[in-house]
Amino acid sequence: MTDDDLDRTHDPRVDGPDALAHLAQAEKMQQAVRRQAKWYARYLVLFGVATIPAVTAAGFIQGPVSGLTFALVWCVFVFAVTLWSQRFGVSRRGFGRVHAIWLVSWLVCYMAVLFIGVAVFPHNLAWFLPGAVVTSIPCFVTAYLEAHR
């Protein structure tokens, strides 16, 4: 067999019906990835909903037992939703950047509400409930944007 024979039999170009079949398969795969990547929007909504009672409750922690209990419950929740999210194994292009922006935004709100609330408005529902809603906003905004991509 010569080099010319190899070039003819292993031509990497695809044309005709094969090209259409490959394009159709690529479109199916792209749709499947989009559908599977919707888990992230659900994850964010769940996290946003859980943020409201968590941040509100955090403002009323008194003593190490309630603090430890709160931390344990919140860690179990975060672990559970993270474990749940691992089932999907699909994320869209740019996921890491979007997730980092969401997480930093959420953390800034969370820390601001807690630090200001504990220092200036301890055990004040009028501070912690609206603060909890504000803290959940990055979750809901990112979920909305992800659901509409």
Side-chain angles (χ1 to χ4, degrees):
M1 193 179 273
T2 67
D3 286 338
D4 289 335
D5 291 332
L6 286 175
D7 288 341
R8 266 193 308 253
T9 59
H10 293 92
D11 190 351
R13 293 174 293 171
V14 178
D15 53 353
D18 287 341
L20 291 176
H22 286 291
L23 286 173
Q25 184 175 359
E27 180 63 29
K28 278 182 170 178
M29 290 173 66
Q30 188 176 32
Q31 289 173 353
V33 167
R34 276 195 201 115
R35 200 172 38 254
Q36 286 293 320
K38 294 292 183 184
W39 69 266
Y40 188 51
R42 292 188 297 270
Y43 170 90
L44 290 165
V45 168
L46 181 60
F47 208 92
V49 168
T51 292
I52 295 171
V55 172
T56 303
F60 293 90
I61 292 173
Q62 292 181 345
V65 173
S66 63
L68 186 60
T69 303
F70 171 81
L72 183 62
V73 169
W74 186 248
C75 286
V76 167
F77 167 75
V78 171
F79 179 75
V81 295
T82 301
L83 196 62
W84 170 78
S85 72
Q86 297 301 308
R87 309 177 341 161
F88 299 100
V90 175
S91 56
R92 67 169 191 79
R93 187 175 23 181
F95 169 79
R97 183 178 57 82
V98 170
H99 189 66
I101 291 169
W102 161 73
L103 189 56
V104 168
S105 302
W106 183 87
L107 280 171
V108 166
C109 293
Y110 180 76
M111 298 309 285
V113 168
L114 290 184
F115 282 135
I116 294 169
V118 168
V120 181
F121 305 107
H123 312 293
N124 187 340
L125 186 62
W127 169 263
F128 283 100
L129 185 57
V133 172
V134 168
T135 303
S136 69
I137 289 173
C139 301
F140 297 130
V141 169
T142 308
Y144 176 82
L145 295 173
E146 286 297 304
H148 291 87
R149 284 195 189 266

